[in-house]
Amino acid sequence: MNPLVERGLMFANLIRVDSPAWVGLYNRALEKLTGKTTALAEFHIDLTGLSPEVGDELGDLDYLAPRGGNRQFILLTTEQKTAPMLAADLSVYPAILRRFIAENESQLFSLTARDAVVGEIDDDVWQLAQPADLLDIRKVRITADTTGSHVAEADKLTAMIDRFRSQPDAWWDDVLIAEMIEQARKSGDVTRNPVRLSHTSFDVPDFRAPAFGGVYVIRSAPEPAVVFADPSQQVPLGGVQVMSLSDRNAIAAWLARNGLAEQVTASGGAATAAVLRQKIDFVLVDAATEARIDPGDGSRAALRRAAARLDPAALPPELPGLGAMLRYVETGGDWPVIDSANPAYFYALRATTGPWQGTVNQLIAELAPHDVRTLFLVNKPVFHRLFQTWDAAKQAYVADQLAREYQIDRQGTRAALFGPEPGMAEPDQAGPGTAAAGPRAGAAVPAGPWGPARGDRGPAPRGGPWGAAR
């Protein structure tokens, strides 16, 4: 992973803990959660307070996830919301924890000014013993308090105040008044400075989990589905369609029926052409390094020279389809016939806007593994796993490209890859079946690269870019 770390693509934006006060607060929280402390005087923490340096010291790189328990977290500052999450049991955890911090920022700011905040992310499932347990994860609850229990103490005082205000004879209850005064010494004035945390429960319709070899749960679609990365883990599950990554035609048909994906070439233009060229470059460098051909400095000219030295039989199967799409975008002409039986099919897809968008983009990225830029953006667990299997030449090329192009223009890269964020539309429905298909098969086709709008006037003519496999 050194090429990624050296270029700021891994362990970047972590929060530095280097003051004795912060180290003391962290140790107090760490001891409360794990019974251990760190002797380090300086280290870095992620969104959840997890530190790679502390993990290395303790011999447990995921020490905030007790075996069989919920993921725990330590907050020293609300600025942790800008840090990445190094280990996520569910792909939605980073977004949920950032939202929790943002929606309780004033209270958390007040709490972290005097103590560390510790808590856990509870998914209501004690242990993932079998794939069916994944379907029980529907809501995530976050519980948090300081190591000194300031939130719990404030809740006690709030309950006393409510009792004092509601009971007619409370003015004469000397014991209650004395208890309130003593409790206020611990919690402060909760009427002026409330510390009650709200927005602690979040719905989880869709997510990716590393369990069972990697699995995608997408329930917000009209037809809920579970997709396993490892076919050997695939088991029937009641109420949802079950597929594996090897079921490419079934996944394509499901995406189309539910209106979950669209083609990246729909907008056309220079930006789309640049995206397709980058996809082709990464496919070529993968083929060249596999064939032990030096890709040179990684420039487009060097890659073309390396490709010329490849045995024609060794050319990546994705290349003809990607090349045809690039020619269509740049020069027009006939639409290329790219269906779900074509290796290039998923390279030309992105998720439509909706609650499923993040998880579907992760799924599509894993189905197009040579597009490592998209994989890096949306599915880092799979990217990091694949990165470790590459030789040094490919690792260096990929790290250089990501550092040079993505880091320079993060927002522009995301816009080019995933398009604008339009309002969510009702997904289209098509008939059942798992034949090779394209996005929004049978749906109304707008004017533009798809041709004139047809509405319900009949199916699209054969020969379009998303025709059925022959």
Side-chain angles (χ1 to χ4, degrees):
M1 295 296 189
N2 282 343
L4 298 176
V5 177
E6 291 167 357
R7 293 162 178 81
L9 298 169
M10 190 174 182
F11 299 147
N13 299 323
L14 296 179
I15 302 298
R16 185 176 180 177
V17 179
D18 57 358
S19 72
W22 265 18
V23 172
L25 289 176
Y26 188 86
N27 265 331
R28 186 176 172 183
L30 185 61
E31 186 173 21
K32 182 170 184 175
L33 293 179
T34 68
K36 303 174 183 178
T37 58
T38 177
L40 299 176
E42 180 181 324
F43 49 89
H44 298 78
I45 58 175
D46 75 345
L47 172 65
T48 64
L50 183 70
S51 168
E53 298 100 325
V54 174
D56 187 57
E57 178 194 23
L58 299 178
D60 181 2
L61 296 178
D62 203 10
Y63 56 90
L64 291 181
R67 186 175 182 83
N70 295 314
R71 177 157 295 279
Q72 300 169 325
F73 61 86
I74 299 172
L75 293 181
L76 296 181
T77 170
T78 55
E79 289 305 309
Q80 283 174 235
K81 68 183 180 180
T82 65
M85 186 171 178
L86 299 180
D89 308 285
L90 301 183
S91 60
V92 294
Y93 277 0
I96 285 176
L97 192 51
R98 288 192 183 98
R99 184 177 166 192
F100 167 76
I101 295 173
E103 294 182 352
N104 294 280
E105 189 152 10
S106 61
Q107 291 86 352
L108 290 171
F109 182 84
S110 175
L111 291 171
T112 54
R114 49 184 166 174
D115 203 351
V117 172
V118 297
E120 70 175 20
I121 307 173
D122 185 2
D123 58 20
D124 290 338
V125 176
W126 179 247
Q127 196 170 22
L128 293 176
Q130 55 188 349
D133 294 335
L134 292 164
L135 299 181
D136 293 331
I137 302 175
R138 296 184 175 276
K139 190 177 289 291
V140 165
R141 294 176 177 84
I142 294 181
T143 58
D145 201 345
T146 63
T147 56
S149 301
H150 288 93
V151 175
E153 297 294 346
D155 286 344
K156 289 181 182 178
L157 181 56
T158 300
M160 291 179 184
I161 293 173
D162 291 342
R163 177 182 163 193
F164 181 80
R165 288 173 172 173
S166 60
Q167 292 182 356
D169 298 330
W171 281 100
W172 309 105
D173 192 337
D174 293 337
V175 174
L176 174 59
I177 293 173
E179 289 177 347
M180 289 171 59
I181 293 171
E182 182 61 29
Q183 189 64 34
R185 291 193 179 102
K186 299 178 183 178
S187 59
D189 186 351
V190 296
T191 59
R192 294 187 178 182
N193 302 293
V195 292
R196 182 182 296 273
L197 298 175
S198 58
H199 308 290
T200 59
S201 183
F202 304 88
D203 292 329
V204 182
D206 310 317
F207 58 87
R208 179 193 182 275
F212 311 109
V215 60
Y216 300 86
V217 177
I218 304 172
R219 286 181 297 221
S220 62
E223 300 175 28
V226 174
V227 182
F228 290 86
D230 182 358
S232 67
Q233 298 288 335
Q234 183 176 345
V235 294
L237 299 173
V240 298
Q241 182 176 351
V242 178
M243 299 170 283
S244 72
L245 292 183
S246 60
D247 301 323
R248 293 173 63 88
N249 286 352
I251 293 173
W254 171 73
L255 291 172
R257 288 196 307 273
N258 291 272
L260 304 180
E262 64 186 8
Q263 59 167 339
V264 299
T265 58
S267 56
T272 300
V275 167
L276 290 171
R277 285 190 178 278
Q278 189 66 69
K279 291 175 186 285
I280 291 171
D281 288 347
F282 280 121
V283 170
L284 283 176
V285 78
D286 183 61
T289 53
E290 285 288 328
R292 304 298 178 187
I293 296 174
D294 184 6
D297 60 3
S299 65
R300 187 156 287 126
L303 288 175
R304 293 292 183 265
R305 288 193 295 271
R309 297 165 56 192
L310 285 170
D311 186 322
L315 283 173
E318 300 91 349
L319 200 57
L322 287 171
M325 284 186 280
L326 178 61
R327 288 191 297 274
Y328 169 72
V329 170
E330 290 189 326
T331 64
D334 295 334
W335 290 357
V337 178
I338 306 294
D339 57 44
S340 55
N342 192 305
Y345 180 79
F346 288 101
Y347 289 81
L349 289 189
R350 65 186 176 204
T352 54
T353 302
W356 54 77
Q357 187 171 18
T359 307
V360 169
N361 272 329
Q362 288 184 313
L363 171 62
I364 292 172
E366 190 164 2
L367 287 163
H370 299 303
D371 183 6
V372 295
R373 181 169 59 172
T374 300
L375 203 59
F376 173 80
L377 285 172
V378 304
N379 202 334
K380 282 187 174 60
V382 174
F383 172 83
H384 289 149
R385 173 170 55 81
L386 293 177
F387 190 90
Q388 295 180 72
T389 67
W390 300 336
D391 61 25
K394 184 176 180 181
Q395 286 183 344
Y397 173 78
V398 169
D400 284 340
Q401 289 295 317
L402 291 175
R404 180 165 52 246
E405 298 191 18
Y406 166 64
Q407 295 284 61
I408 290 174
D409 184 13
R410 295 179 183 226
Q411 195 60 41
T413 297
R414 292 193 68 89
L417 285 170
F418 306 121
E421 300 292 339
M424 187 169 60
E426 191 70 23
D428 297 294
Q429 300 277 345
T434 59
R440 296 187 175 275
V445 181
W450 296 93
R454 288 186 298 272
D456 295 327
R457 288 176 285 172
R462 294 179 62 86
W466 307 104
R470 295 187 175 90

